[in-house]
Amino acid sequence: RIGFKTKSKYQIKFSARFVQGFENDKGEVFFQIHQENKLCKIGPILKLQFNRGRLVLHVINSKLTHKEYFATKYLSQLKDKWNKFEVVYDAEKKIISLYLNDNFLIRGIKHAENSCATPYLKFGIYRKGNKDEPNKLSVVDFDKFQITEIKTKK
């Protein structure tokens, strides 16, 4: 696994197509900037998920819990077509912004991080569930991942 530098800024672009599902009432995460090391597992800095059909950005705060930021986009608007996501992750200033299909959704959200952990990217479906409470099938396709370190002027 390759981690992000903690004093850098990144532009993360990818396309996602939500083919089926994402109807779990407990929420279904499809993209994360996680953080951990062997001796330091703290959890995600950022999570993108659908919750009751609405796109939600979860960002870790100084209490190391997640604050929810509800976007103005719903699964019904995004399903069965390719959508362009862009996350601007500023590890040094600890700011996150989210863009969807070239329009900003959420800008300048402060986040916390644990200094013992290394941030890295995770994508796929992550959700709660077990044999007694199974989930319905969800399918998402990903394409065109592009991660660019943004050089800032000093």
Side-chain angles (χ1 to χ4, degrees):
R1 163 181 347 161
I2 299 172
F4 292 116
K5 298 174 190 172
T6 56
K7 300 293 182 194
S8 292
K9 182 176 181 178
Y10 295 91
Q11 178 187 52
I12 305 160
K13 292 183 176 183
F14 64 95
S15 294
R17 178 175 55 187
F18 304 97
V19 179
Q20 181 179 343
F22 289 92
E23 298 167 1
N24 180 356
D25 287 342
K26 298 172 190 152
E28 298 182 72
V29 176
F30 62 91
F31 176 86
Q32 300 178 56
I33 296 177
H34 215 285
Q35 57 180 345
E36 70 178 61
N37 283 328
K38 287 183 179 181
L39 301 175
C40 178
K41 188 170 183 178
I42 193 67
I45 294 171
L46 166 154
K47 298 187 294 185
L48 281 174
Q49 74 175 68
F50 287 102
N51 194 334
R52 300 189 195 295
R54 190 169 182 182
L55 182 62
V56 182
L57 171 68
H58 290 257
V59 177
I60 198 164
N61 60 28
S62 59
K63 297 176 184 173
L64 299 182
T65 60
H66 285 94
K67 180 167 174 50
E68 296 178 328
Y69 296 89
F70 289 88
T72 56
K73 293 295 178 186
Y74 293 85
L75 179 60
S76 60
Q77 297 169 292
L78 306 176
K79 200 166 185 181
D80 295 323
K81 60 184 175 186
W82 285 103
N83 298 280
K84 296 187 300 186
F85 286 84
E86 178 182 342
V87 176
V88 177
Y89 168 59
D90 190 330
E92 184 172 28
K93 293 181 181 175
K94 297 180 178 33
I95 295 175
I96 293 171
S97 296
L98 174 64
Y99 299 80
L100 177 62
N101 296 325
D102 299 320
N103 297 300
F104 88 88
L105 289 181
I106 301 169
R107 190 180 315 184
I109 302 299
K110 292 288 280 178
H111 71 84
E113 67 183 15
N114 191 315
S115 61
C116 74
T118 302
Y120 65 95
L121 195 66
K122 267 177 107 169
F123 63 96
I125 300 171
Y126 302 90
R127 59 191 179 174
K128 296 177 182 176
N130 57 47
K131 289 181 185 178
D132 297 328
E133 296 180 30
N135 292 305
K136 296 177 185 173
L137 178 67
S138 291
V139 178
V140 59
D141 294 329
F142 291 97
D143 198 10
K144 300 179 182 172
F145 268 90
Q146 181 181 2
I147 302 170
T148 306
E149 185 176 357
I150 300 170
K151 301 294 182 190
T152 55
K153 295 178 183 178
K154 301 259 176 171

